[in-house]
Amino acid sequence: SPENEVRVRRHSHALYADLNYALAPQLVLNAATRAAHYSDFGSALNGKLALRLRPAEHWLLRTSVSNGFRAPSLAQSHFTSTAMVRDGEVISQYGSYGVDHPVARALGATDLKPEKSQHFTLGAVWQPTTRFSASVDGFVTGIYDRIMPTGYIAGWNLARLSPQALAILQQNQVDGASYFTNAV
């Protein structure tokens, strides 16, 4: 419907630098950084440090630590779609709303925050010949402020719906709604 139309845009600029430096013939340091600016989320600085050690001719050990940043997509922040669903004689309206839509705001939506992450890796490579190698890697990644859709906030689920939420749905002539939020 025409109420679903939005016009949004974002500008972003980034600068990336990567440096490899041999501290010794068997030890290499890698450092990388990315500076970015988003017109709607400000600036972010991410980095990575990695070490690669060759303790013996057939062995390579590697490790790294880094952090990450992901701005919410324009669709996560602003996309709205509605659908009419017929169940017998009953026609219901359901929608997924952008966080700035009046229905989502009334139900508690707030502006999305960027997702941030931290990463750690550790690995080893064994290469006894030029035709055979085996590797093992482990990693841990923590993601913060993960963006996920809410479940449907719907009038048919009256037992779990607060009177305030039910009133908001009724005022907006909506039987069910969802929106994106920093939920995890």
Side-chain angles (χ1 to χ4, degrees):
S1 70
E3 294 81 29
N4 293 337
E5 181 183 357
V6 295
R7 291 184 185 268
V8 294
R9 65 176 59 186
R10 167 185 296 157
H11 301 282
S12 65
H13 306 279
L15 179 63
Y16 181 80
D18 193 343
L19 171 70
N20 282 309
Y21 183 72
L23 298 167
Q26 70 278 9
L27 183 63
V28 176
L29 170 69
N30 172 250
T33 188
R34 181 177 187 267
H37 178 76
Y38 299 84
S39 59
D40 53 348
F41 283 97
S43 297
L45 182 65
N46 297 307
K48 177 181 90 167
L49 285 176
L51 279 175
R52 192 175 68 212
L53 173 66
R54 186 172 295 281
E57 181 182 354
H58 303 296
W59 284 96
L60 176 71
L61 304 175
R62 57 189 175 208
T63 187
S64 69
V65 294
S66 62
N67 66 345
F69 172 96
R70 189 186 78 78
S73 70
L74 292 176
Q76 288 173 320
S77 295
H78 304 287
F79 177 75
T80 297
S81 73
T82 52
M84 304 300 278
V85 178
R86 182 175 174 184
D87 185 10
E89 295 297 315
V90 177
I91 297 176
S92 302
Q93 179 173 315
Y94 294 93
S96 296
Y97 296 96
V99 297
D100 53 355
H101 191 280
V103 171
R105 287 289 192 200
L107 291 169
T110 58
D111 290 342
L112 294 174
K113 297 182 283 187
E115 293 178 343
K116 295 185 179 178
S117 58
Q118 296 176 338
H119 318 274
F120 173 75
T121 65
L122 184 63
V125 178
W126 177 57
Q127 188 174 10
T129 71
T130 57
R131 298 183 66 174
F132 176 80
S133 69
S135 64
V136 63
D137 289 282
F139 62 91
V140 176
T141 299
I143 302 174
Y144 307 94
D145 294 323
R146 181 86 187 263
I147 299 169
M148 303 290 290
T150 65
Y152 263 102
I153 302 164
W156 50 262
N157 197 359
L158 293 174
R160 295 177 56 196
L161 198 61
S162 71
Q164 296 87 351
L166 184 58
I168 291 165
L169 294 176
Q170 290 172 344
Q171 289 168 1
N172 290 281
Q173 300 172 347
V174 175
D175 297 294
S178 70
Y179 55 88
F180 282 93
T181 186
N182 293 98
V184 180

